[in-house]
Amino acid sequence: MIDGQVRVTVEGHVARVTLARPEVRNAFNAPLIEALREAFGGLAAQPPESLRAVILAGEGTFFSAGADVEWMRAAIGLSLEENGRDAAAMHSMFSAIDACPAPVIARVQGGAIGGGMGLCAVSDIVVATDGAMFGFTETKLGLLPAVISTFVLRKIGETHARRLFLSGERFSAEHARLIGLVHEVVEDEPALDARISVIARELRSAGPNAARAAKALIRELRGLSPAEAAALTINRIAEQRTSAEGQEGLTAFTQERPPSWSGD
């Protein structure tokens, strides 16, 4: 447990990071934000063979309800500079999750509101229960979904952001799937856990270094020109093919046997 806010467990090369403030629907405050940043900073240091995937979850009936009411009340009296420091800390937390080298799976039950939407945006795979609700509700409070916007826009694009940022309206898990924020919608929490177990197993069947390199490649390709992208991708596949893991994978394929990492 980190600062009483976040619980981190590891089983079978899969880590589980759980927001542990169920009494306030896992809403953000300064300690939770710092605990999440610290948790993912620590996981980033784990080698590929030790950490194959991370499940990001919320304790209780709700994934994350965004900002904590008491934290927001305290922010009323903060100066511009103090508000800037709070926002920078939150951005650092989202960046730590976004940059986690291992694949991150978000387990969304109940809903994700405000900052909770940012957690969905920085996760690689998002699975939600059918009854979960979503919303960029900041404008309802006279605020902006500013800090999460750099991450959310990559997920849902400008057209959906223009539709949903402005009104702050809530929407269903199915709508979240249609706009790309959520990848899969399942019936209930037992189905949610079953599906995430299947996804984690699929991730463990991939080469540990290859899965991380594939995730890193997506980030590296952002903003590159066609020529730069071509040079990068040619170099990355050549590196991976000649690596020990690439050689083992190719050899196992030609010999019609499982690769060495599949038994992990």
Side-chain angles (χ1 to χ4, degrees):
M1 183 74 76
I2 301 176
D3 197 26
Q5 308 289 314
V6 170
R7 186 168 58 253
V8 180
T9 57
V10 181
E11 182 178 351
H13 306 293
V14 176
R16 190 180 185 94
V17 178
T18 305
L19 284 64
R21 304 188 73 218
E23 69 282 2
V24 290
R25 302 196 302 174
N26 299 308
F28 292 160
N29 61 6
L32 176 62
I33 289 168
E34 175 55 26
L36 268 177
R37 188 200 63 75
E38 182 181 337
F40 276 89
L43 291 172
Q46 296 298 309
E49 59 273 12
S50 299
L51 182 65
R52 310 288 286 278
V54 180
I55 298 170
L56 178 58
E59 186 177 322
T61 60
F62 209 88
F63 177 62
S64 178
D68 178 83
V69 173
E70 292 302 319
W71 186 47
M72 294 178 68
R73 183 175 291 119
I76 293 174
L78 295 182
S79 66
L80 178 64
E81 291 75 15
E82 290 168 326
N83 270 288
R85 285 195 291 271
D86 267 3
M90 180 174 282
H91 193 280
S92 179
M93 177 267 289
F94 285 125
S95 293
I97 302 173
D98 188 49
C100 179
V104 178
I105 310 166
R107 177 195 185 276
V108 182
Q109 85 287 12
I113 302 297
M117 301 284 277
L119 295 178
C120 294
V122 294
S123 296
D124 301 298
I125 303 167
V126 182
V127 186
T129 55
D130 184 51
M133 294 300 296
F134 297 81
F136 301 101
T137 56
E138 288 87 348
T139 56
K140 299 292 191 188
L141 303 174
L143 302 176
L144 304 174
V147 172
I148 66 173
S149 64
T150 55
F151 307 102
V152 170
L153 284 171
R154 294 171 187 154
K155 267 288 176 72
I156 69 173
E158 186 175 313
T159 183
H160 295 300
R162 289 172 74 135
R163 173 68 181 89
L164 297 168
F165 278 17
L166 311 188
S167 67
E169 67 190 77
R170 299 191 182 202
F171 51 93
S172 68
E174 179 57 23
H175 189 74
R177 187 189 67 80
L178 290 174
I179 66 174
L181 185 72
V182 166
H183 297 99
E184 299 183 36
V185 178
V186 297
E187 183 178 3
D188 51 25
E189 288 198 58
L192 182 62
D193 289 327
R195 184 57 187 149
I196 287 175
S197 292
V198 171
I199 293 170
R201 186 164 62 249
E202 291 289 346
L203 290 170
R204 291 197 301 273
S205 73
N209 289 286
R212 292 191 176 203
K215 178 174 179 174
L217 179 64
I218 296 167
R219 291 170 57 86
E220 290 176 309
L221 286 170
R222 292 173 184 166
L224 295 186
S225 68
E228 291 170 331
L232 176 67
T233 54
I234 290 167
N235 186 54
R236 289 292 179 271
I237 187 57
E239 289 176 342
Q240 191 64 25
R241 281 176 178 170
T242 55
S243 70
E245 184 175 285
Q247 291 290 296
E248 164 61 13
L250 289 169
T251 301
F253 177 75
T254 59
Q255 295 176 352
E256 298 183 349
R257 61 170 175 82
S260 58
W261 61 78
S262 63
D264 289 347

